[in-house]
Amino acid sequence: MGPLKTLWHRLGSPRWFYGMLAPWQLGFGVAALTLLTIGTTWGLVFAPADYQQGESFRIIYVHVPTVILAQSAYMMLGVAGFVLLVWRMKMADVAMVAIVPFGIAITVLGLFTGAVWGRPTWGTWWEWTDARLVSTLILLFLYFGLYALRQAIPNAESAGRACAVLAIVGLINIPIIKYSVEWWTTLHQGSTFSVTRVSMPMQMWAPLLVNVVGMYCLFGWVITRRMRTEVLRRERDTAWVNDLFGKRL
Amino acid sequence: MNIEAIAEWAAMGRHGLYVWLAYGSSLAVLVGLVLESRWSAARLTREIEADIAAYKESGQS
Amino acid sequence: MMHLLSGQLSREFLLVSRVRTDVLNPLIFLLLSVTLFALALEGRPEILRVHAPAVLWTLVLLTNMLALDGVFRRDFDDGVLEQLFLQADAPWIAILGKLIVHWLVTGFAMVVCIPLFGLALYLPAEVLPVLMLALLLGTPTITCLGAIGAALTVGLRRGGAILALLVLPLLIPVLIFGVSAVNRVMDGEPALAELYWLAALSLASITSAPFAVGSALRISLEQ
């Protein structure tokens, strides 16, 4: 329990938190750049084309990591919200502030690349009877709600806790929303998109795996960078921030 | 690797437009996210340094 | 426990009976929007009939959003809510009471009036019972989830638009199962699965919403 408890207390210190994240940020940045370069080059140049979809199959290497991150980021929002409400850990609120803009950008990108992939593959940019497209759109609305709520509440602390409640309610509802949308689309067997085939050869899924991990690292970089900024913004009138920047003058 | 081979690769079968649209938009959004995160950090740093400088000046005069 | 709840219920009913427009406004709004739809679709029975389930469910959702905006506002403004958290041993009982009364005057009132609106949109009479049943099972979820959004935005001057943005995405399952139930019966199929789903969602939200609303109200009061 010793070291864990120390870590827990340290997490309450913005100063320690700010410094601790710096090496993580660097590590995430280097890893993201390396992995995404390797995965994208591999996917674009060396991976074989799909025998049915042809070259448009290569969109999978940007689309799938994006959508995975869109969902993971919301899950982390829910977890951060839970931590904030239960243990009142302020750094969880800082994390939520950092995650929401990333989530909005990545979800919009997921919808756009999905549409661009849908056009050559299924002949349509958008299909209301496709469960994954529709539930991604709903996810975007959930992100918008969190963003709007935080903007609307002037008191920062209340805004954080209100967003935490909303994020948790949203997280509980996501499986129900997904299930209901899937249920509804199976009733309308218009055009069921099936992307994932049972056996994708290794040369096809390996670059995808690299890009997924790379995208998680990019998420790590963006979140650590934005969390550090947010910590500074909240602590700008304290002695440690003044010491930190006073030395540079 | 000659020019024709590169051109053929860039054409991506008949789907060049879609592939490059997807990759281009992804690059734009991700780079945009990274740059915005850096800019907001730099902006805040400048503000804090300006505050400190103003404070030191007022102390000296 | 029960006398706490009944006390709360009688207080809420007294309040509602004093401000009758709270009950009438949503219903009139619903009637008005049904009229707008009927006119916009040029009153053609074959088109109206096909779209009636979707139109009615969408309008019920939107009308509820308008009505929910005010569910805690008066108590928030005159300090009753603050009293509630200071004094009551179990504020969630009072919250449950508020939700029940609010559902009775909006959700349940809509269930009672919906056959009229359905007939106005040329819905066949044999579909009306399932429409009523689906609404009866679906509206408690709308009230409960909506109340969480209302509690989060009660301190804001213009909470209404945000409330809809926060809550409507969460209510998409209710819309899907509700419309699907009515459409199934129109096609001559059983709609039991959809109705079970609506009932399950309502049970889950009735049992959990009072606590979520309670913590949301506490946050709004701290501002």
Side-chain angles (χ1 to χ4, degrees):
Chain A
M1 264 322 276
L4 262 181
K5 221 172 176 183
T6 328
L7 176 69
W8 188 252
H9 285 297
R10 278 182 170 170
L11 278 173
S13 150
R15 177 185 197 168
W16 178 83
F17 194 73
Y18 180 82
M20 180 275 289
L21 281 186
W24 283 95
Q25 188 195 322
L26 183 70
F28 278 135
V30 173
L33 198 62
T34 318
L35 289 171
L36 287 176
T37 311
I38 294 174
T40 306
T41 316
W42 192 351
L44 267 179
V45 184
F46 300 109
D50 186 73
Y51 70 95
Q52 272 182 328
Q53 299 181 22
E55 306 281 350
S56 66
F57 167 79
R58 300 188 194 282
I59 296 176
I60 199 175
Y61 301 119
V62 286
H63 173 70
V64 167
T66 316
V67 175
I68 289 179
L69 256 293
Q71 296 178 355
S72 298
Y74 199 91
M75 250 184 271
M76 287 183 220
L77 273 178
V79 173
F82 187 79
V83 171
L84 177 68
L85 285 189
V86 174
W87 292 291
R88 303 252 171 152
M89 201 172 93
K90 283 191 177 137
M91 290 309 125
D93 187 34
V94 171
M96 291 180 73
V97 171
I99 294 174
V100 171
F102 178 90
I104 291 176
I106 209 84
T107 312
V108 169
L109 184 61
L111 286 170
F112 183 77
T113 52
V116 171
W117 194 10
R119 179 66 201 162
T121 314
W122 303 285
T124 170
W125 298 100
W126 183 260
E127 182 58 59
W128 282 109
T129 55
D130 180 62
R132 285 170 312 116
L133 284 180
V134 174
S135 38
T136 310
L137 181 64
I138 299 171
L139 186 65
L140 181 63
F141 288 131
L142 295 180
Y143 277 120
F144 278 148
L146 279 169
Y147 188 76
L149 187 63
R150 189 176 290 276
Q151 297 297 312
I153 301 178
N155 178 337
E157 199 176 326
S158 309
R161 297 179 55 212
C163 285
V165 171
L166 186 65
I168 294 170
V169 174
L171 190 64
I172 296 170
N173 267 282
I174 281 180
I176 302 169
I177 293 173
K178 280 191 119 172
Y179 179 81
S180 71
V181 173
E182 267 166 33
W183 156 283
W184 170 69
T185 51
T186 46
L187 284 182
H188 307 258
Q189 286 278 358
S191 59
T192 315
F193 298 178
S194 79
V195 181
T196 42
R197 264 191 306 283
V198 195
S199 59
M200 212 200 272
M202 203 278 275
Q203 305 99 296
M204 278 178 164
W205 62 253
L208 182 60
L209 188 67
V210 173
N211 262 1
V212 170
V213 178
M215 198 68 95
Y216 269 103
C217 292
L218 186 75
F219 170 79
W221 186 89
V222 171
I223 298 313
T224 42
R225 175 66 272 179
R226 297 189 84 95
M227 281 176 85
R228 295 179 75 215
T229 311
E230 181 66 16
V231 168
L232 274 191
R233 201 178 61 73
R234 292 183 180 195
E235 300 275 313
R236 62 185 291 176
D237 293 328
T238 58
W240 72 268
V241 174
N242 283 321
D243 287 346
L244 193 68
F245 289 96
K247 277 175 202 152
R248 289 196 199 164
L249 283 175
Chain B
M1 195 85 147
N2 54 28
I3 302 287
E4 274 168 36
I6 294 177
E8 198 193 320
W9 168 77
M12 288 285 161
R14 293 165 292 108
H15 297 138
L17 171 69
Y18 303 108
V19 173
W20 295 116
L21 197 57
Y23 277 82
S25 61
S26 303
L27 187 71
V29 169
L30 297 179
V31 168
L33 254 179
V34 168
L35 287 182
E36 205 278 328
S37 307
R38 294 187 69 132
W39 285 336
S40 57
R43 205 180 316 126
L44 184 68
T45 309
R46 274 201 305 279
E47 281 174 25
I48 294 175
E49 282 173 350
D51 278 0
I52 296 174
Y55 177 76
K56 279 186 177 167
E57 236 164 67
S58 69
Q60 279 159 5
S61 60
Chain C
M1 214 76 129
M2 281 321 283
H3 85 267
L4 272 175
L5 186 59
S6 64
Q8 182 68 24
L9 288 177
S10 56
R11 174 185 170 271
E12 293 293 329
F13 274 120
L14 192 66
L15 279 175
V16 168
S17 65
R18 287 201 188 129
V19 195
R20 294 213 179 84
T21 50
D22 279 5
V23 188
L24 283 178
N25 277 350
L27 292 175
I28 294 171
F29 178 82
L30 195 57
L31 177 62
L32 176 63
S33 9
V34 167
T35 310
L36 291 182
F37 256 101
L39 293 177
L41 291 171
E42 296 168 333
R44 279 179 285 182
E46 69 282 7
I47 297 180
L48 285 174
R49 189 177 301 126
V50 174
H51 294 104
V55 168
L56 288 174
W57 267 102
T58 311
L59 293 179
V60 163
L61 277 178
L62 294 176
T63 311
N64 265 296
M65 291 304 110
L66 288 180
L68 276 159
D69 187 37
V71 58
F72 300 116
R73 184 133 300 157
R74 198 173 298 124
D75 283 356
F76 182 83
D77 288 341
D78 60 19
V80 171
L81 277 181
E82 212 145 350
Q83 295 272 317
L84 184 74
F85 283 105
L86 284 177
Q87 293 173 348
D89 300 325
W92 60 268
I93 292 185
I95 291 166
L96 188 63
K98 281 194 85 66
L99 293 188
I100 290 173
V101 173
H102 188 267
W103 175 76
L104 282 173
V105 300
T106 56
F108 187 68
M110 287 177 198
V111 174
V112 173
C113 296
I114 208 76
L116 185 66
F117 301 147
L119 288 175
L121 296 178
Y122 301 107
L123 215 52
E126 62 267 26
V127 179
L128 295 179
V130 74
L131 177 64
M132 286 178 80
L133 190 56
L135 270 180
L136 185 71
L137 296 173
T139 43
T141 311
I142 302 178
T143 302
C144 288
L145 287 181
I148 299 175
L152 287 172
T153 54
V154 68
L156 306 175
R157 197 159 298 160
R158 278 173 296 176
I162 294 183
L163 169 66
L165 178 60
L166 303 186
V167 175
L168 284 177
L170 303 175
L171 290 174
I172 286 171
V174 175
L175 179 81
I176 287 177
F177 291 125
V179 174
S180 177
V182 184
N183 279 336
R184 284 271 184 125
V185 173
M186 275 225 270
D187 296 344
E189 292 169 34
L192 264 185
E194 282 88 347
L195 295 173
Y196 280 139
W197 263 104
L198 287 173
L201 291 179
S202 280
L203 280 179
S205 47
I206 291 168
T207 45
S208 56
F211 304 101
V213 170
S215 57
L217 283 176
R218 236 184 265 269
I219 293 166
S220 288
L221 283 168
E222 279 169 17
Q223 283 172 38

